[in-house]
Amino acid sequence: MNSIDHIKTLIGQNQIPSVFEELKRIPLSDDLSNQLVLIEGRYSEVAKGKRLGTTSKHEVELSFSEIRFSLIDLCDIIVETNNARPSALPQSKFLLNFENIIHSKTENFIGREWLFSAIEELIERKPKGYIIIKGEPGVGKSAIASKIIKDRKGECLYHFIVKSSGINDPAQFLGNIMAQLILKFHLVNKEITDKSLQNGSLFIDLLNEASKLLKAENKKLLLVIDGLDELKETSQSSGENTLFLPSELPDNVFILLTYRIVSRVSLNSPTIIKEIGLDQKDKLNKQDAAEYIKRDIPSEGIQNFIKSNYVSESQFLDLLLEKSQNNFMYLRHVLPEIQSGNYKNLDINEIPAGLQSYYEDHWKRMKTNDKTQWYNIYLPLISLLAIIKTPIAIEFISGITNIDINNVRSAIDSWREFLFNDYYEAVIPVYRIYHQAYSDFLSKKDEIGEEIDLNDMRSKYINFFE
């Protein structure tokens, strides 16, 4: 671990005095030294206010969070100006880290062997081509993509399009994938420029260069691109695909795409070798959903629920398959609800049917449990998360909504199953809506439009960061 990585670890551990000591050991320019002095002065001021009790706990938490972000930014500037990572190529700045997404999507993965075998067979038999996976929200497209990436252990390139994280611009895709191609195939004579992020020329050139190297070694390359339906709309002509994917792929190159069945995605290519529709009613999909449920049936919470409803394990399995409509996102939510005892007073036949019904049921339960908390804490929190385009830290949520930070933490825990927890610079936890299906649900909720002024919330968000 180099010194900057060590300092970032200290920031994450909230050992701020030690951070200042470590930074002072690094030779800095006058400008960076002045920035460090200003941050340290601000820290001393906040620490004094906390010690004397002249600053509220809420303001102290918020100020310390801002200081941590400032220190992380300073570390990044030091890396750039001092060339602290000489092995890093300029292209590295375009790389995006999706490790947390891959971990989250594959943590409880089960089944789909039939699908993976079909994909492997296609790559083995065909010289090149596009493989398309389409399905309804919650059927497991992103989990499948993540599992393929994980199982190939660095042997495939990938990109996730995540609207709720603000990663939905074609330029982000081009930068990330082109940087991976350059680094993987050592194409050091190629350079990513602003112009190359606006068209597919360099991307296609890199694929052709990679193809030559792959053929020489008798190898094949797979690119996985997840979530095309979440791409930001552009002003491109209708004859051009949004990601500048080549109509004709070069030899030994395969691209796997996932998107919703109902979407504006269109790809006209003679090298589409397979379109796979994930139908929730399909026999193989039902078998995988059954295996997902069977794995959790032995748990204490589910056994208690089965006994209290006087049903057998097989009856429970059949009913949950029917209620879930074989939707994995539904099972991801409902099985933990049953295990935790949240449905202990509910008749088995009253379990919500379908993903949207589950969302609605959870919404009503949160609202009726404590109406004061609902209007003062939960509704403002989820409304803010519904409008933001990038993950946000708890301290900033507290500052924008003017909710006590401890209440924000408690509310985050209450909504955790719908949230994705990532980390800013691998240090500070940030949150966003987990799945686009839930974002879509929120956008249609009357309460959000009627009980919360979203324009006012957007103004608070913008003003907070000005």
Side-chain angles (χ1 to χ4, degrees):
M1 180 183 291
N2 65 34
S3 60
I4 293 297
D5 289 336
H6 173 61
I7 290 169
K8 284 187 175 182
T9 300
L10 293 175
I11 295 171
Q13 295 170 346
N14 230 7
Q15 299 181 37
I16 306 303
S18 298
V19 170
F20 289 123
E21 290 178 12
E22 292 293 330
L23 284 171
K24 289 173 184 177
R25 295 192 180 105
I26 299 174
L28 302 176
S29 66
D30 290 343
D31 182 48
L32 292 179
S33 294
N34 289 336
Q35 286 189 48
L36 180 59
V37 169
L38 288 173
I39 297 171
E40 187 173 22
R42 175 61 178 150
Y43 176 80
S44 299
E45 178 186 339
V46 175
K48 182 179 179 181
K50 178 183 179 182
R51 188 173 63 254
L52 298 177
T54 56
T55 307
S56 71
K57 185 177 179 181
H58 171 75
E59 291 174 336
V60 168
E61 290 269 11
L62 189 58
S63 297
F64 279 158
S65 178
E66 291 172 345
I67 288 166
R68 291 202 301 273
F69 276 101
S70 296
L71 287 169
I72 289 172
D73 289 340
L74 181 62
C75 286
D76 289 339
I77 294 171
I78 291 170
V79 168
E80 293 176 9
T81 56
N82 290 359
N83 196 24
R85 294 173 181 168
S87 61
L89 293 170
Q91 284 76 14
S92 297
K93 67 180 180 181
F94 295 101
L95 293 173
L96 297 173
N97 189 336
F98 296 110
E99 290 305 312
N100 285 339
I101 290 179
I102 294 168
H103 173 74
S104 173
K105 296 290 185 181
T106 58
E107 191 173 14
N108 294 307
F109 194 93
I110 194 168
R112 308 297 198 184
E113 296 303 327
W114 58 272
L115 178 58
F116 300 137
S117 296
I119 292 170
E120 288 299 328
E121 184 182 354
L122 284 168
I123 294 173
E124 181 69 26
R125 288 193 300 107
K126 300 289 185 178
K128 58 187 175 182
Y130 287 98
I131 302 168
I132 297 172
I133 298 178
K134 301 186 290 185
E136 297 295 339
V139 78
K141 300 181 296 297
S142 296
I144 289 167
S146 298
K147 180 66 171 170
I148 290 170
I149 294 163
K150 183 177 181 180
D151 286 351
R152 284 184 166 261
K153 299 177 182 177
E155 289 305 311
C156 73
L157 311 185
Y158 56 91
H159 182 83
F160 289 83
I161 300 162
V162 190
K163 184 179 179 181
S164 55
S165 281
I167 306 174
N168 63 334
D169 192 296
Q172 292 169 311
F173 160 77
L174 285 173
N176 181 39
I177 287 293
M178 290 193 300
Q180 290 182 59
L181 284 165
I182 290 170
L183 294 172
K184 180 174 180 60
F185 293 99
H186 308 290
L187 305 174
V188 293
N189 60 325
K190 305 293 183 180
E191 183 180 1
I192 301 172
T193 63
D194 290 341
K195 184 178 180 180
S196 67
L197 297 176
Q198 306 305 317
N199 62 68
S201 298
L202 179 60
F203 177 40
I204 294 171
D205 182 30
L206 291 171
L207 286 178
N208 288 330
E209 291 292 325
S211 173
K212 293 174 186 176
L213 296 170
L214 290 164
K215 285 197 290 185
E217 297 182 12
N218 195 27
K219 292 182 178 180
K220 294 182 178 180
L221 174 69
L222 176 65
L223 279 68
V224 177
I225 308 169
D226 177 68
L228 265 70
D229 52 281
E230 296 190 33
L231 265 176
K232 181 167 65 178
E233 292 189 26
T234 68
S235 57
Q236 285 184 195
S237 64
S238 59
E240 202 171 25
N241 69 66
T242 313
L243 293 182
F244 306 100
L245 299 172
S247 173
E248 184 74 36
L249 285 174
D251 289 340
N252 295 46
V253 174
F254 295 80
I255 297 182
L256 185 147
L257 309 170
T258 78
Y259 52 85
R260 292 185 184 185
I261 287 178
V262 181
S263 69
R264 55 186 174 80
V265 176
S266 177
L267 176 66
N268 295 316
S269 170
T271 51
I272 294 176
I273 55 175
K274 186 72 173 178
E275 289 193 21
I276 303 169
L278 296 178
D279 187 348
Q280 293 179 172
K281 298 177 182 178
D282 181 80
K283 179 181 177 181
L284 292 172
N285 190 73
K286 184 176 180 179
Q287 288 176 359
D288 288 337
E291 291 302 314
Y292 192 97
I293 298 168
K294 287 177 183 177
R295 181 182 57 192
D296 287 357
I297 284 179
S299 69
E300 182 179 357
I302 289 181
Q303 285 295 315
N304 290 338
F305 185 80
I306 288 172
K307 290 173 184 175
S308 66
N309 278 274
Y310 303 102
V311 296
S312 66
E313 291 184 359
S314 62
Q315 288 173 317
F316 171 81
L317 173 63
D318 290 341
L319 187 134
L320 206 57
L321 283 171
E322 179 185 341
K323 293 281 188 179
S324 70
Q325 300 165 4
N326 307 324
N327 185 289
F328 285 86
M329 186 57 61
Y330 174 97
L331 294 173
R332 177 184 178 274
H333 290 307
V334 171
L335 284 169
E337 292 270 25
I338 298 172
Q339 290 178 29
S340 64
N342 288 339
Y343 285 172
K344 64 182 178 182
N345 297 321
L346 197 67
D347 183 271
I348 192 168
N349 293 301
E350 295 174 346
I351 293 176
L355 185 60
Q356 294 300 312
S357 294
Y358 171 74
Y359 287 158
E360 189 65 48
D361 176 73
H362 181 274
W363 183 274
K364 288 177 180 177
R365 281 188 286 128
M366 292 292 286
K367 185 175 181 178
T368 55
N369 282 347
D370 189 326
K371 289 198 172 182
T372 300
Q373 279 197 331
W374 172 258
Y375 287 108
N376 293 337
I377 301 173
Y378 293 147
L379 190 55
L381 167 71
I382 205 66
S383 299
L384 174 61
L385 290 169
I387 66 168
I388 61 173
K389 303 300 182 185
T390 56
I392 189 169
I394 284 178
E395 293 85 352
F396 291 162
I397 296 173
S398 175
I400 294 165
T401 60
N402 202 29
I403 299 171
D404 179 79
I405 196 163
N406 290 320
N407 288 334
V408 172
R409 288 195 178 100
S410 175
I412 287 286
D413 285 339
S414 298
W415 290 95
R416 189 171 291 278
E417 63 177 296
F418 300 107
L419 304 180
F420 180 73
N421 179 195
D422 208 342
Y423 289 87
Y424 177 76
E425 291 286 353
V427 175
I428 298 176
V430 290
Y431 298 87
R432 64 166 173 83
I433 300 297
Y434 178 82
H435 198 272
Q436 187 60 36
Y438 193 64
S439 292
D440 294 343
F441 168 79
L442 291 176
S443 69
K444 297 173 184 175
K445 286 302 299 177
D446 291 339
E447 284 93 334
I448 287 192
E450 294 174 2
E451 300 177 13
I452 289 289
D453 187 337
L454 290 184
N455 287 329
D456 180 57
M457 184 66 77
R458 289 189 182 94
S459 296
K460 289 179 178 177
Y461 177 78
I462 292 167
N463 292 336
F464 182 82
F465 289 104
E466 282 185 345

